[in-house]
Amino acid sequence: MLEPFCQSILEVDLDALKHNFSVLQGKCNCSAVVKADAYGLGVVPVTKALSSIGCNFFWVATLEEAVTVRAVSPLATVAVFSQLWDQEAFRYAKQLQLLPVLNRIEEVELAEPDMPVIVHIDTGMNRLGIAYKDIDKYRPRIAKLNLFHIMSHLVSSQVPDDEINGQQLNKFNRVRELFPNVKASLANSSGVFLGEDYHADLARCGSAMYGINPTPYHEDNPMKCVANLYGKIVQIHSVEQGQTIGYCGTYTAPSERVVATVSLGYADGYLRESSNKAKAYVSGKIVDVVGRVSMDTVILDVTNAKDSVAPGGWVEFFGQHIPIDEYASLCGTIGYECLTRVGLRVQRVYHGSQE
């Protein structure tokens, strides 16, 4: 049951989350990426739910995020992707038994030899990591560390026939040969579906757990829907033919229309790019977003649902009936951004068990 006094809600299905992780785990050994507040879904309940089904390896972006996960899961392995590591940060990580991901040779040189670390080798992303071309030069220094894993990150795993996937795999396999007794991690969510060659010892699963399609978007999504975004109808009124709707009059009513104003806007993370493009679901009908999305409101053409909508009713903007990948595509972006943009004003409501 949706909360009665909220104006907007992100409904999170924890049982679907656990199902999705289990599906991925059935393909290869998986860990969970819970950075950015578990992609906006809430890192505490998400971590608890995943821990309850045996997930014991989590990835975050920063030390601050790691502190939260460590408090929720005291015995799990918690790796930190993109922290800038200096001596003070290393001391703090050691105190909390966190696992630093080292992206620079300067960090390799600062790390204590007995501290478990992951070394990130850049095989093509050109974002973070020690450059592949320098691996032979730096191998003796890296080999002195207590290497928990080596890792790299795929550039285009969601496009199976992109030749860069094979190029990265070849580079990564050569790196593994240089460190033959060290475990390795390459695949992200989409990488899991590229096949066993990409699985290595551990996959890092994020988006697929949260219901985003890890396969090319023209294929059916093998994941269950986890996140549903709802807004509440606050007003319904008629618009005469020729009248405009919203800021700057970007939509003109082609005939008399019935419109609903919904309490959800770009301040809540509903993208302004969805103006005059996106769809919503209300009372069993798919309806159009008309006019520009405002800071606090969205306007919908509910003419085809006018007999079954009223102020106080709920509207789905993505979820079971409006797949997040379709919404994202209409806005020229990806599901990752749509989830992580959902604002703090949107109340998170959880269904399913955290235990």
Side-chain angles (χ1 to χ4, degrees), residues 17 20 33-34 38-39 41 46 206-212 226-227 339:
L17 171 82
N20 290 346
V33 181
V34 294
Y39 287 39
L41 274 61
V46 165
S207 60
M209 291 192 316
Y210 304 119
I212 295 171
V226 174
L339 282 183

Side-chain angles (χ1 to χ4, degrees), residues 17-32 50 53-57 188-189 192-193 199 201-205 208-209 223:
L17 171 82
K18 291 188 283 189
H19 167 85
N20 290 346
F21 185 80
S22 297
V23 169
L24 296 162
Q25 184 76 356
K27 294 182 175 293
C28 60
N29 187 34
C30 292
S31 53
L50 293 172
I53 58 170
C55 179
N56 60 2
F57 198 131
N188 54 6
S189 288
V192 170
F193 292 83
H199 292 169
D201 298 294
L202 184 71
R204 309 182 303 273
C205 298
M209 291 192 316
M223 302 290 110

Side-chain angles (χ1 to χ4, degrees), residues 196-258:
E196 293 183 6
D197 289 346
Y198 292 83
H199 292 169
D201 298 294
L202 184 71
R204 309 182 303 273
C205 298
S207 60
M209 291 192 316
Y210 304 119
I212 295 171
N213 193 347
T215 65
Y217 292 161
H218 62 270
E219 297 183 6
D220 290 340
N221 188 352
M223 302 290 110
K224 285 187 175 182
C225 175
V226 174
N228 301 269
L229 181 65
Y230 297 95
K232 183 178 284 185
I233 297 173
V234 294
Q235 183 175 347
I236 295 175
H237 57 278
S238 296
V239 176
E240 295 178 2
Q241 180 179 2
Q243 287 187 317
T244 62
I245 293 174
Y247 281 118
C248 298
T250 61
Y251 179 88
T252 301
S255 60
E256 184 176 352
R257 314 304 292 171
V258 178

Side-chain angles (χ1 to χ4, degrees), residues 305-328:
K306 62 184 179 182
D307 295 330
S308 56
V309 296
W314 289 100
V315 177
E316 176 195 310
F317 286 90
F318 63 69
Q320 290 286 352
H321 303 95
I322 307 290
I324 190 169
D325 296 302
E326 291 183 12
Y327 162 62

Side-chain angles (χ1 to χ4, degrees), residues 65-99:
E65 293 178 339
V67 170
T68 302
V69 175
R70 171 57 72 231
V72 175
S73 189
L75 301 180
T77 299
V78 182
V80 186
F81 273 130
S82 47
Q83 181 73 35
L84 178 64
W85 296 104
D86 56 21
Q87 289 181 336
E88 184 177 359
F90 275 128
R91 281 195 296 269
Y92 194 67
K94 191 171 185 179
Q95 178 183 345
L96 290 180
Q97 295 184 303
L98 305 173
L99 192 56

Side-chain angles (χ1 to χ4, degrees), residues 168-194:
Q168 285 192 274
L169 179 62
N170 291 336
K171 290 177 180 178
F172 193 64
N173 284 338
R174 181 173 177 274
V175 172
R176 296 185 71 180
E177 291 173 359
L178 297 176
F179 302 96
N181 298 315
V182 179
K183 290 185 176 181
S185 176
L186 176 62
N188 54 6
S189 288
S190 294
V192 170
F193 292 83
L194 287 178

